[in-house]
Amino acid sequence: MFYREAGDFKTSYEADSQTFPIAFDRYRYWAVLAIAFLVIPFVINDYWVNAIFVPFLIYAIAAIGLNILTGYCGQVSLGTGGFMAVGAYACYKLMTGFPDVSIVIHIILAGGITAAVGAAFGLPSLRIKGFYLAVATLAAQFFLVWLFNKVSWFYNYSASGQINAPERFVAGVAVTGPNTAPWAQYMICLVFLTVCALLARNLTRGTIGRSWMAIRDMDIAAEIIGVNPLKAKLTAFAVSSFFIGISGALFFAVYLGAVEVGEAFGIQKSFLVLFMIIIGGLGSIFGSFAGAAFLVVLPVALKVIGVDWLDWPTDLVAHLQLVIVGALIMFFLIKEPHGLAQLWRVTKEKLRLWPFPY
Amino acid sequence: MSADFLYGIEVIINGLMAGVLYALVALGFVLIFKASGIFNYAQGVMALFAALTLVGVMEGQVPFSHLINAVFGTEIHHFGWEVPALLAILLTLCIMIAFAWAVQYFVFRHLVGQEPIILFMATIGLAYFLEGVGDLMWGSDIKTLALGLPQGGSMAVEEWTAGLGGDDFYGFFIDKLDMVATVVALLLVAGLVGFAQYTKQGRAMRAVADDHQAALSVGISLNFIWVLVWSLAGLVALVAGVMWGAKSGVQFSLSLIALKALPVLMLGGFTSIPGAIVGGLIIGVGEKLFEYTIGAPFLGGATENWFAYMLALIFLVFRPQGLFGERIIERV
């Protein structure tokens, strides 16, 4: 009734190959963008930005990045935290080294540097597969965190070993540093997320995305039909790390402002982003959003219920949160191994026939 | 012999003993992976949970006391008795077996035939769950495990070896606890190998590891075997938890030993019990030697965090299935 694929005729190649070929999807996309850009910045306050919106936007970028690697190309990575750290420290070095250049360029360059590092750590994927690769990416995680801890050049020899984001402006508005307005934080993350999501969506629809999926489904068969595994796997690692690096840079510069590497980019972060794409749905851009939203909102909601309403001690709620997140993950995997994105697909199937299901 | 050389030997001996403990954790992984194809990330948290439970039972803590107090406003925390160590270990073992059954019944029974990555994710969920339950049951403060295991350096070894070097060499410093742990781990490994080779259930276990369908067709209950391997992994986790817990206190970082076991597995191969042992020894010695010769003098120390992974990574590039793993054959 509401969701129609039939009757949506295309009369040109442009119309047929646009990002959202179905009219309903296109309207929804514009509506979400309009709300995100024109409504939310005017109504949010400091609490909502710091607790929900900015972490959601940043994790969504990281989840899209990891989803490209794991969901589309089938290479499981546990090094997300380490790659986010590369993005953060690259951004920091660029910000302090070239203070006159715009921070937007710094963040993009930080993504580029992370892409190079990611491709280097992706090289073993040509030999190692499956779990062995997942564990091998842990080498990246631990090595990178150790590197940023030990080599003081990376944190400009500061005594605390922390990195602090200096104040930077985009079009005259502060986006980093202590005086940033909540809406400015929100907007810069939103712009980056929108561009990244569009990029990812179109990459995965094109030649390169199809070669990733061929590798994921069966790499030997893909090789036989002429997909170059070296190129496909390394581009997947590079593109994925590019997004993850951008999210790491934003996480440091815009969200936290000051970062200690072991705390902010530890192994827990890798698992968190992995959970996001598992719960959201592997191989789906929408799933990355859904998973990030779910895992950002869940702890906040549990905290509000436990600490504020029931008045329980904070550590008890933190433990309960672990139990609930763990149980939910197992529950989801049993009931719907393909994640929230699959639930959405099923809903669309139902809507297509509603109200006459036969 | 020069003192430097002797210190090198001391480092190797300590590395070997650390390696035995790594091998112990890795064994828990291999047991479950061979029998059910599940890569059990929760192994480290199981060790933490087992150690927490053991301490809690011994001290007579009321389980979930924090939660009960928060909900009902009561003030309970201890039963007021203390359980002797041996009985407490048996009780903990019973809890681990009950846990094994619950894991099989509520989670993995429903996930049979799923892709390995999904099973792996489920065990990460299990790890979170178990960590939360452990904290809720027994509280999250650091506990000391008072089993009466010997502590501190062994004077006997020190005096006995002091004569090997010159005047500036005072003998090997070897922790008594490490020696106990090594002996216990060796006994446990021997016991497990004996169990797998010579008992009926052990043979059934190996049959399941070889081929699920063939095992089913000769009348082996897969469910029972899976509960069995999870229980065995629970036993291994208990021993590992006790040893590491006695060494550094029962606390969250105990669960991170699972991460230490991963490079061991990669090196030895996920499917090989001897591989887990040899891999553990190589990693143990390798990281201690690297820290001693290169890490501490030139790289600023703490290289133990990543050296094992790098070693495993470089090794895998040349031999993707690990030292003793089954050869990976791929067909289209």
Side-chain angles (χ1 to χ4, degrees):
Chain A
M1 184 92 181
F2 296 116
Y3 188 75
R4 281 265 173 271
E5 283 172 22
D8 190 3
F9 301 112
K10 314 283 193 311
T11 49
S12 66
Y13 280 122
E14 285 76 38
D16 198 33
S17 61
Q18 58 191 327
T19 312
F20 295 99
I22 298 167
F24 181 84
D25 283 346
R26 209 157 45 239
Y27 300 143
R28 195 189 65 221
Y29 165 71
W30 286 115
V32 169
L33 271 193
I35 292 173
F37 274 96
L38 299 177
V39 179
I40 293 177
F42 296 102
V43 293
I44 47 175
N45 58 22
D46 196 37
Y47 175 77
W48 280 89
V49 163
N50 276 316
I52 305 232
F53 278 104
V54 168
F56 161 65
L57 296 172
I58 292 171
Y59 280 127
I61 300 178
I64 289 173
L66 188 61
N67 219 334
I68 285 178
L69 187 61
T70 303
Y72 285 96
C73 196
Q75 315 292 312
V76 184
S77 162
L78 295 173
T80 318
F83 293 134
M84 281 176 83
V86 174
Y89 277 77
C91 185
Y92 174 70
K93 287 305 283 186
L94 289 167
M95 278 164 88
T96 48
F98 307 95
D100 300 330
V101 182
S102 162
I103 179 156
V104 176
I105 294 172
H106 287 153
I107 291 177
I108 294 170
L109 279 179
I113 291 169
T114 317
V117 175
F121 276 102
L123 274 175
S125 72
L126 299 167
R127 286 281 288 170
I128 312 172
K129 283 164 195 164
F131 283 129
Y132 288 96
L133 178 67
V135 180
T137 54
L138 277 177
Q141 169 73 43
F142 287 108
F143 178 73
L144 290 168
V145 167
W146 173 86
L147 187 71
F148 293 131
N149 238 336
K150 284 290 165 198
V151 182
S152 38
W153 179 79
F154 285 114
Y155 46 86
N156 282 0
Y157 311 100
S158 79
S160 61
Q162 278 194 341
I163 52 173
N164 291 293
E167 195 165 44
R168 290 289 180 271
F169 299 89
V170 172
V173 181
V175 292
T176 64
N179 302 321
T180 314
W183 67 267
Q185 277 181 312
Y186 170 81
M187 279 309 273
I188 185 163
C189 293
L190 181 64
V191 169
F192 270 104
L193 174 63
T194 313
V195 174
C196 286
L198 268 181
L199 210 62
R201 165 102 194 166
N202 283 306
L203 274 176
T204 50
R205 289 183 328 138
T207 319
I208 190 162
R210 280 164 199 234
S211 67
W212 291 338
M213 285 186 260
I215 290 282
R216 170 193 66 188
D217 292 339
M218 188 170 216
D219 52 355
I220 291 188
E223 210 176 330
I224 289 167
I225 60 168
V227 175
N228 182 350
L230 175 82
K231 203 176 135 204
K233 282 183 179 172
L234 287 194
T235 48
F237 264 97
V239 170
S240 150
S241 305
F242 177 75
F243 290 143
I244 291 171
I246 285 183
S247 84
L250 288 172
F251 193 75
F252 149 68
V254 177
Y255 180 47
L256 289 182
V259 158
E260 201 280 313
V261 63
E263 229 167 80
F265 301 114
I267 178 85
Q268 298 299 331
K269 199 113 297 178
S270 305
F271 282 126
L272 181 67
V273 180
L274 194 61
F275 281 157
M276 284 174 182
I277 65 168
I278 299 277
I279 286 186
L282 289 170
S284 151
I285 302 291
F286 169 76
S288 314
F289 282 91
F294 187 77
L295 280 184
V296 166
V297 171
L298 182 71
V300 178
L302 287 177
K303 193 159 170 269
V304 167
I305 294 173
V307 178
D308 298 349
W309 294 0
L310 295 175
D311 211 17
W312 288 357
T314 328
D315 61 330
L316 187 69
V317 176
H319 299 156
L320 264 182
Q321 185 185 318
L322 280 176
V323 174
I324 292 173
V325 170
L328 268 178
I329 288 165
M330 289 188 283
F331 178 77
F332 261 101
L333 289 174
I334 291 168
K335 288 294 165 201
E336 191 52 85
H338 301 288
L340 294 168
Q342 178 67 18
L343 285 182
W344 172 237
R345 258 173 247 139
V346 172
T347 316
K348 278 201 293 197
E349 291 283 326
K350 294 252 157 68
L351 273 180
R352 212 170 279 161
L353 298 172
W354 191 84
F356 305 111
Y358 299 105
Chain B
M1 280 182 266
S2 75
D4 268 353
F5 179 71
L6 284 168
Y7 281 124
I9 293 180
E10 182 183 336
V11 168
I12 290 178
I13 292 175
N14 279 319
L16 277 175
M17 295 206 276
V20 172
L21 283 179
Y22 293 155
L24 194 59
V25 185
L27 259 186
F29 280 95
V30 172
L31 280 174
I32 293 183
F33 190 79
K34 270 189 83 129
S36 58
I38 296 171
F39 186 77
N40 180 24
Y41 175 76
Q43 187 67 34
V45 185
M46 275 164 72
L48 171 69
F49 181 75
L52 274 177
T53 310
L54 183 60
V55 175
V57 170
M58 276 175 71
E59 292 182 352
Q61 272 190 29
V62 181
F64 296 110
S65 53
H66 288 286
L67 188 64
I68 296 171
N69 290 347
V71 176
F72 300 108
T74 49
E75 282 290 333
I76 49 172
H77 41 91
H78 283 83
F79 286 120
W81 64 64
E82 286 194 5
V83 183
L86 211 58
L87 187 63
I89 290 178
L90 281 180
L91 276 174
T92 311
L93 205 55
C94 291
I95 293 177
M96 292 315 282
I97 291 172
F99 166 74
W101 175 83
V103 165
Q104 180 57 31
Y105 188 82
F106 290 110
V107 184
F108 290 104
R109 201 174 53 129
H110 304 283
L111 287 171
V112 172
Q114 292 283 3
E115 286 170 51
I117 183 72
I118 300 283
L119 297 172
F120 174 57
M121 292 301 141
T123 63
I124 300 182
L126 183 67
Y128 272 55
F129 181 77
L130 197 59
E131 190 194 324
V133 170
D135 286 345
L136 276 183
M137 266 174 100
W138 310 112
S140 57
D141 41 335
I142 299 176
K143 297 180 176 61
T144 46
L145 192 58
L147 277 179
L149 292 173
Q151 299 271 6
S154 163
M155 286 311 289
V157 174
E158 224 165 286
E159 281 166 17
W160 180 58
T161 52
L164 288 175
D167 288 339
D168 52 347
F169 180 71
Y170 303 107
F172 295 143
F173 178 84
I174 290 168
D175 203 316
K176 279 184 196 157
L177 188 64
D178 280 345
M179 296 203 292
V180 174
T182 311
V183 172
V184 172
L186 286 176
L187 284 179
L188 188 68
V189 169
L192 281 175
V193 171
F195 176 76
Q197 295 292 337
Y198 299 114
T199 63
K200 192 179 165 195
Q201 304 306 343
R203 286 183 181 172
M205 202 171 84
R206 284 193 297 145
V208 172
D210 262 359
D211 191 327
H212 286 186
Q213 285 191 334
L216 264 180
S217 65
V218 294
I220 296 168
S221 158
L222 280 185
N223 257 326
F224 173 75
I225 294 297
W226 283 334
V227 173
L228 180 71
V229 291
W230 276 89
S231 309
L232 282 181
L235 169 72
V236 172
L238 175 62
V239 174
V242 167
M243 292 307 159
W244 285 76
K247 204 172 179 178
S248 51
V250 179
Q251 53 179 319
F252 173 71
S253 67
L254 198 60
S255 65
L256 298 179
I257 57 171
L259 293 173
K260 269 277 149 97
L262 293 177
V264 173
L265 287 169
M266 287 170 49
L267 207 62
F270 282 127
T271 49
S272 159
I273 288 181
I277 298 163
V278 176
L281 294 180
I282 293 177
I283 296 275
V285 173
E287 69 177 20
K288 288 278 188 312
L289 263 187
F290 184 77
E291 177 78 14
Y292 175 70
T293 55
I294 300 171
F298 301 115
L299 295 176
T303 53
E304 280 151 339
N305 284 339
W306 55 267
F307 174 74
Y309 292 94
M310 281 298 182
L311 183 70
L313 182 63
I314 293 165
F315 182 80
L316 279 192
V317 170
F318 295 102
R319 200 177 155 80
Q321 70 271 39
L323 268 179
F324 297 97
E326 287 157 24
R327 198 150 166 244
I328 303 165
I329 300 167
E330 284 180 280
R331 295 191 177 87
V332 179

